[in-house]
Amino acid sequence: VVAFPFEDIYIDRRHILHSLTRREQKIIFYFALLTASLGIGGIRAIVCPLSAYNLEDCGPKELLSFFNWFYWLVNLNSAVVFVSISYIQQSVARNLGFLIPFVSVLMAMITIHMVRGEMIYKPKTGSSLLTTFGIISSALKMCCVRYRYFSGSVTNWLDHAKENCGGRYSETQVESTKLLARLFPLFVFQILYRTCIMQIPSGYYLQTMNSNLHFSGFVLPVAAMNVISIVPLLLLVPILECINSCLFSSKDTGYPPTLYIVVGQLFAALSVMVAGFSEIHRKHFPQVKQTLSDEVLLVSSMPCFHLAPQYILLGVAEALVTPSCSLLSFQLVPGRIRGISMHFLTLFNGAGCFMGAFFVQTAHSGTQGTWFPHLLHEGKLERFFFFLAALMTVNTLGFWTIAHRYTNLNQEYTNEFRGSLSEEKLLKHEKAIKHYDSVLERSPILSPMEKT
């Protein structure tokens, strides 16, 4: 709603609904971006875990199938949006492109309110996001205290938060947090991958905007090129599901998710590298005038479809990486903190977006606009793509070296530890304390007064 009056809206030339200054329009625009990001972050962090909670007793193969089809439906929705709304916003009315999502979200809120009774899920007690952060802060505090005043060590630094080590958290809570901490390297290696994915609305967008968008007398929306990156995912998911059904039995987990992640990240690095060569190829075409949103731009005469390979490669990468990362984040932690694990995955994906913005700003400032220029035909955007491709290759090799940590999906910590060893230790410890107390109560020791 706040993005709707981005420009002056006229009923006729004598009646203006509003007339905002440029500064006021910028304030409204950035406020709209903030509210949109908060909404998107909340939806991504909640909807997918909420849907997967009903599959806690399923194996890795069924979970991977769920995440594959979940993201397939999400991207099918995105394809419809990029084709329809982007065309309306670019060729019909820009403000109508804001109004359609507003009405859609409003209808979705009404629908959710009507069926809210069937969508309530009460997560298992025993851990929360505050508990997780409390365990980490308590362990860090106890580490500093013990390092300064005491000697001695524990097998893991988080063990300092346990009650029997001077902390105030139970062993089950700490062990759950330790399993979550094991996933942090996986999350960190997704940051640079997400930076490559964010080239679609940044670097790839600039390339497409500066290419020839005319196709048989029809001007394609720039955002419609995103559909090319979505099509591989829509095609690959059914193919992968058929392969898993035909080659592997119901008890077999199939190929490890880490293999999909490594291959997908290689496709992402290859996509950015192809984008660099496409940029060199684009400059060899003569420039022509092109009108976009009532603005005349001088662009390359190269058809925008020449950029399709880099979009396709990124689409293949998304089809392989995103469902596999969600599976590992969900399967390798106990049920009580699975929602928290999915939240951290979303958080690190967001960090990848910030990293992409940081790279763009650094490349623009450090090279004085050469690597990320204002006028694309006057700069060297291909150098930025080659640099990012090199970083992504190193990132993939780094993840490959630690991929063995996340290969086994059937260890004892899945499904609430399956008779957790830590819980057995706690029971034994409590029994020992009770036995010790009963021995003290039956002890015949007399006080000095009683002896006299």
Side-chain angles (χ1 to χ4, degrees), residues 71-84:
Y71 289 109
W72 186 87
L73 289 171
V74 170
N75 283 273
L76 179 63
N77 182 26
S78 300
V80 174
V81 170
F82 284 131
V83 171
S84 59

Side-chain angles (χ1 to χ4, degrees), residues 89-330:
Q89 194 165 15
Q90 178 173 304
S91 303
V92 180
R94 177 181 297 181
N95 294 316
L96 191 59
F98 294 128
L99 187 61
I100 293 175
F102 164 70
V103 175
S104 301
V105 172
L106 184 61
M107 293 174 62
M109 292 171 61
I110 295 174
T111 305
I112 291 174
H113 179 73
M114 293 172 62
V115 297
R116 67 189 185 279
E118 300 178 4
M119 301 180 67
I120 295 176
Y121 177 82
K122 185 178 181 180
K124 297 180 180 180
T125 58
S127 185
S128 65
L129 191 60
L130 292 177
T131 303
T132 302
F133 285 123
I135 291 172
I136 295 175
S137 61
S138 176
L140 290 174
K141 186 187 300 182
M142 292 301 297
C143 283
C144 296
V145 172
R146 288 180 179 272
Y147 178 79
R148 185 173 182 178
Y149 297 104
F150 302 99
S151 60
S153 61
V154 292
T155 56
N156 189 290
W157 65 277
L158 286 172
D159 289 333
H160 289 294
K162 294 181 179 178
E163 293 175 338
N164 55 359
C165 294
R168 59 187 184 90
Y169 294 94
S170 67
E171 187 167 353
T172 303
Q173 291 175 323
V174 176
E175 292 296 326
S176 299
T177 306
K178 287 167 64 175
L179 295 177
L180 177 62
R182 290 181 70 250
L183 292 176
F184 281 0
L186 169 69
F187 297 155
V188 170
F189 279 107
Q190 299 310 307
I191 293 178
L192 198 58
Y193 165 76
R194 192 54 54 181
T195 301
C196 293
I197 296 298
M198 288 306 297
Q199 293 310 304
I200 290 181
S202 57
Y204 291 6
Y205 182 90
L206 288 178
Q207 280 185 300
T208 306
M209 188 177 67
N210 285 270
S211 302
N212 187 8
L213 294 171
H214 289 83
F215 177 73
S216 300
F218 178 76
V219 180
L220 292 173
V222 179
M225 290 294 292
N226 291 17
V227 180
I228 299 179
S229 66
I230 296 175
V231 169
L233 190 145
L234 298 179
L235 296 177
L236 272 180
V237 167
I239 294 174
L240 291 176
E241 287 297 313
C242 292
I243 293 176
N244 289 334
S245 301
C246 297
L247 296 183
F248 304 104
S249 62
S250 58
K251 296 182 180 180
D252 197 350
T253 59
Y255 296 114
T258 52
L259 177 62
Y260 291 121
I261 295 176
V262 171
V263 175
Q265 290 191 354
L266 286 175
F267 272 100
L270 183 60
S271 171
V272 182
M273 184 177 295
V274 170
F277 289 113
S278 298
E279 180 62 17
I280 298 175
H281 175 66
R282 191 188 61 82
K283 293 178 181 178
H284 291 160
F285 287 78
Q287 293 183 337
V288 295
K289 292 183 178 180
Q290 182 170 261
T291 303
L292 285 177
S293 300
D294 299 329
E295 294 184 13
V296 179
L297 303 176
L298 199 62
V299 301
S300 172
S301 60
M302 183 192 80
C304 60
F305 292 109
H306 288 200
L307 303 174
Q310 63 199 54
Y311 283 93
I312 293 174
L313 290 172
L314 267 190
V316 174
E318 271 289 84
L320 297 174
V321 173
T322 302
S324 300
C325 285
S326 298
L327 171 63
L328 294 178
S329 303
F330 190 85

